[in-house]
C-alpha cells in the first residue's frame, strides 16, 4: 500500500469482461478479461488474468499476473510481473521483478532488474544491477554495472557491457523449469550467445562469444571464444576453447 493519495482522484475496479476508458486514479484493480482504452495515470496498478490495456501506464507500483497485455509504455517505481505478459512499448521501472515469460517490444531500463524465467526484449536493457535466472533474448545491448546470469536455457544478446560480469550455469539448467523455458523459446542449448562482452571483472561459463575484453578475465567451463583481450590476468578452463588471447 502506498502513502500517496490524491483527493481529486477515485479508484477504478473492473472484474470479468468489463471495459473502461483511461484516466487518472489512485488505485486501478482489474481482473479477468477486462479492457481499458486509453492512458492510465495512477498510484497503484493491479491486474490479473487476460486483461488488455490500450495505451500507456504510469504508476508508482505495477503488479500484474497472468496473460496481461499493455500496448504502450509502462513507467513505474516498482514493477512485479508474473505469468505470460506482453508490453508493446518500453518498460521503465526503478525495481523490476519478472517471473514467468514476458515480451517487451521496446527497451527495459531501471536501477535493479531481476528476471526468473524467460524474457524477450526487442530493444536494449540497461540497469545498475541485472540478474537473470533462466533465459533471455535481447535484440540490442545489455548494459549494467553488475551482471549476474544463471543460465537455464538459451540466452542471446548482441553486446554486454558492465563493471562486473558473471555468467554461470544455474539450477534452471536442469529439471522441469528448464523444460518450460526451452518450450517457450524453442531452444535446446543452455548457453549464452553474445557478440562482444566487455567489462572489468569477467567470469564466464557456457558462453559463445566473438570478443571478450576485460581487466581480469576467467573463462570457465564449456566456452568458445574467438578472441580474449585482457589487461591484468586471464584463466582458461581446459574444457573451453579460446582461439586468440592478447594482453593489452
Amino acid at each position: 500500500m502506498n502513502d500517496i493519495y490524491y483527493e481529486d482522484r477515485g479508484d477504478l475496479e473492473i472484474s470479468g469482461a468489463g471495459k473502461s476508458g483511461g484516466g487518472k486514479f489512485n488505485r486501478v484493480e482489474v481482473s479477468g478479461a477486462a479492457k481499458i482504452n486509453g492512458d492510465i495515470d495512477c498510484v497503484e496498478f493491479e491486474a490479473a488474468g487476460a486483461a488488455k490495456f490500450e495505451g500507456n501506464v504510469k504508476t508508482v507500483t505495477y503488479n500484474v499476473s497472468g496473460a496481461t497485455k499493455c500496448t504502450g509504455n509502462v513507467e513505474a517505481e516498482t514493477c512485479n510481473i508474473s505469468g505470460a505478459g506482453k508490453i508493446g512499448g518500453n518498460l521503465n521501472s526503478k525495481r523490476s521483478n519478472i517471473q514467468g515469460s514476458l515480451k517487451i517490444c521496446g527497451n527495459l531500463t531501471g536501477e535493479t532488474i531481476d528476471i526468473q524465467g524467460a524474457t524477450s526484449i526487442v530493444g536494449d536493457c540497461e540497469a545498475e544491477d541485472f540478474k537473470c535466472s533462466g533465459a533471455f533474448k535481447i535484440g540490442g545491448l545489455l548494459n549494467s554495472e553488475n551482471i549476474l546470469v544463471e543460465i537455464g536455457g538459451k540466452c542471446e544478446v548482441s553486446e554486454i557491457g558492465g563493471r562486473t560480469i558473471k555468467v554461470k550455469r544455474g539450477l534452471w539448467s536442469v529439471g522441469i523449469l528448464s523444460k518450460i523455458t526451452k518450450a517457450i523459446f524453442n531452444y535446446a542449448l543452455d548457453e549464452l550467445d553474445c557478440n562482444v562482452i566487455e567489462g572489468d571483472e569477467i567470469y564466464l561459463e557456457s558462453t559463445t562469444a566473438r570478443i571478450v575484453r576485460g581487466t581480469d578475465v576467467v573463462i570457465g567451463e564449456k566456452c568458445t571464444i574467438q578472441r580474449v583481450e585482457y589487461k591484468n590476468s586471464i584463466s582458461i578452463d581446459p574444457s573451453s576453447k579460446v582461439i586468440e588471447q592478447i594482453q593489452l
Side-chain angles (χ1 to χ4, degrees):
M1 183 70 67
N2 290 284
D3 294 332
I4 303 173
Y5 178 81
Y6 297 97
E7 293 185 354
D8 60 341
R9 297 186 185 186
D11 296 336
L12 175 63
E13 296 185 10
I14 305 176
S15 61
K19 294 182 179 181
S20 176
K24 295 183 178 181
F25 306 94
N26 280 308
R27 178 178 173 82
V28 174
E29 185 174 358
V30 178
S31 62
K35 184 176 182 180
I36 295 179
N37 295 304
D39 295 340
I40 294 289
D41 186 335
C42 64
V43 179
E44 294 181 63
F45 187 93
E46 304 273 347
K52 185 175 182 180
F53 307 95
E54 298 279 357
N56 303 310
V57 176
K58 182 179 180 181
T59 181
V60 178
T61 58
Y62 183 83
N63 300 317
V64 301
S65 60
T68 302
K69 295 181 180 180
C70 175
T71 63
N73 302 315
V74 174
E75 181 179 347
E77 292 284 324
T78 303
C79 176
N80 297 293
I81 299 175
S82 62
K86 181 179 180 180
I87 295 175
N90 302 317
L91 171 57
N92 182 0
S93 175
K94 286 187 176 180
R95 297 171 295 277
S96 292
N97 184 5
I98 301 169
Q99 300 183 15
S101 64
L102 174 68
K103 182 175 182 179
I104 301 172
C105 297
N107 303 318
L108 172 58
T109 58
E111 293 181 2
T112 62
I113 297 172
D114 190 346
I115 297 172
Q116 299 180 49
T119 296
S120 174
I121 303 166
V122 175
D124 300 328
C125 181
E126 185 171 356
E128 292 183 11
D129 295 289
F130 175 89
K131 179 181 179 181
C132 176
S133 299
F136 63 78
K137 184 175 183 180
I138 301 174
L141 310 178
L142 170 57
N143 185 20
S144 177
E145 280 287 299
N146 304 295
I147 297 173
L148 173 59
V149 177
E150 297 176 339
I151 299 173
K154 181 74 171 182
C155 297
E156 280 188 287
V157 58
S158 175
E159 295 185 20
I160 295 177
R163 183 174 59 84
T164 62
I165 301 169
K166 187 173 184 178
V167 179
K168 63 179 184 178
R169 289 172 64 87
L171 295 177
W172 279 72
S173 294
V174 295
I176 187 64
L177 295 179
S178 177
K179 293 179 181 179
I180 294 173
T181 302
K182 293 171 186 176
I184 292 171
F185 282 107
N186 194 28
Y187 288 148
L189 299 176
D190 295 319
E191 68 171 12
L192 169 67
D193 192 343
C194 182
N195 189 34
V196 178
I197 301 174
E198 186 168 358
D200 293 331
E201 299 179 8
I202 301 175
Y203 176 88
L204 304 175
E205 293 178 0
S206 299
T207 297
T208 297
R210 186 173 65 87
I211 297 176
V212 174
R213 183 181 297 117
T215 303
D216 297 295
V217 179
V218 177
I219 305 299
E221 297 179 345
K222 299 180 180 180
C223 294
T224 302
I225 313 296
Q226 294 296 314
R227 179 187 176 103
V228 175
E229 300 175 1
Y230 67 99
K231 184 176 180 181
N232 290 340
S233 65
I234 185 171
S235 175
I236 303 173
D237 188 90
S239 66
S240 292
K241 182 179 181 180
V242 175
I243 305 300
E244 183 181 15
Q245 51 181 295
I246 297 175
Q247 185 169 18
L248 301 174

